[in-house]
Amino acid sequence: MIEVREWHEWPSAEAEAVAVQERLRSEVRFDGFPAEVRTAAGLDVAYGADDDEVIAAVTVLDLAELSVVDRSVVRSRVEFPYVPGLFAFREAPPLLAALTGLEVEPDVLVCDGQGLAHPRRFGLACHLGVLTDLPSVGVGKTALGRYDPPGPERGDRAPLLLDDEPVGAALRTRRAVKPVFVSVGHRCTLDEACELVLRLTPHYRLPETTRTADRLGRAEARGT
């Protein structure tokens, strides 16, 4: 069972949340990635009838078949306002609750969001990785920062820069299709993160982890 480190209270004020990010970002590690990744969890959040109801969906995939071997969903009310750069304080609590409901502990967490590609270098993937001490990767649909377009072929990548500092990569997962934006969350290097994302994208732009978690959350939102 996944254990969550209770390293901080969940604040309700913006200044307190920023202070938590500033304090915990030094806990991010770049070593400890598994020699062989057998399972990867996709984490995604959907919203219910109103923006105060959040549905946290987690799927665990067997990488050999890219098939779902476990899943967990948690519905809750958000307790933190919408503030750019502080999404983790809305979404991490229900995602952590969903993770603790899994029977299969994944080797890696793949978050629909940012890791080091964040104003304080501590996005959702970092936060979840540090609190669970599991390797984690952030895969964003849009860039937080600037980049030159990578080459057109699958696997081509270019540095993602924020404040002129490399924080991730624009990674081409499909030929001539818009890249995804990969950044380190915890216990991995950028090379390891990009290699994993390519394993998870044999047919589509987005990782199968993200796609399956998104479908699960949407189905729960519809009540199906």
Side-chain angles (χ1 to χ4, degrees):
M1 180 177 175
I2 294 175
E3 296 184 2
V4 178
R5 297 160 155 174
E6 296 183 2
W7 280 5
H8 64 83
E9 300 292 333
W10 291 99
S12 57
E14 181 176 348
E16 295 171 349
V18 169
V20 169
Q21 291 180 332
E22 296 280 8
R23 177 166 59 87
L24 291 187
R25 68 181 177 183
S26 63
E27 300 294 336
V28 172
R29 290 169 46 197
F30 301 92
D31 63 315
F33 197 74
E36 182 179 0
V37 178
R38 296 183 174 88
T39 56
L43 296 90
D44 193 27
V45 167
Y47 287 85
D50 58 68
D51 286 344
D52 289 330
E53 182 185 32
V54 65
I55 301 163
V58 178
T59 54
V60 180
L61 272 62
D62 178 325
L63 261 71
E65 302 291 337
L66 291 182
S67 57
V68 176
V69 296
D70 199 3
R71 67 194 72 203
S72 179
V73 179
V74 168
R75 300 180 77 117
S76 66
R77 309 297 293 183
V78 296
E79 298 184 4
F80 195 86
Y82 175 90
V83 180
L86 297 176
F87 291 140
F89 295 90
R90 290 172 64 88
E91 299 186 352
L95 284 170
L96 289 167
L99 282 169
T100 61
L102 294 172
E103 295 183 3
V104 177
E105 181 172 328
D107 294 324
V108 183
L109 308 180
V110 181
C111 301
D112 179 30
Q114 312 294 343
L116 294 181
H118 180 273
R120 284 171 291 282
R121 310 303 186 261
F122 198 76
L124 177 65
C126 296
H127 211 139
L128 293 172
V130 165
L131 290 187
T132 60
D133 200 29
L134 289 173
S136 61
V137 174
V139 184
K141 301 181 186 74
T142 58
L144 185 62
R146 63 179 180 83
Y147 66 99
D148 293 325
E153 299 300 326
R154 170 175 160 81
D156 287 342
R157 72 193 224 201
L160 177 64
L161 304 175
L162 191 59
D163 303 323
D164 293 323
E165 177 184 352
V167 292
L171 176 67
R172 193 85 67 184
T173 56
R174 306 299 302 155
R175 186 183 186 281
V177 171
K178 181 181 177 181
V180 296
F181 303 95
V182 180
S183 57
V184 168
H186 183 55
R187 289 181 55 187
C188 68
T189 65
L190 184 58
D191 286 346
E192 290 165 334
C194 289
E195 181 181 347
L196 176 64
V197 171
L198 289 172
R199 289 181 65 188
L200 291 168
T201 53
H203 305 298
Y204 300 98
R205 173 182 177 242
L206 296 178
E208 289 301 306
T209 39
T210 299
R211 287 166 46 80
T212 54
D214 175 74
R215 286 199 297 267
L216 178 61
R218 290 177 184 271
E220 179 70 18
R222 293 192 304 267
T224 59

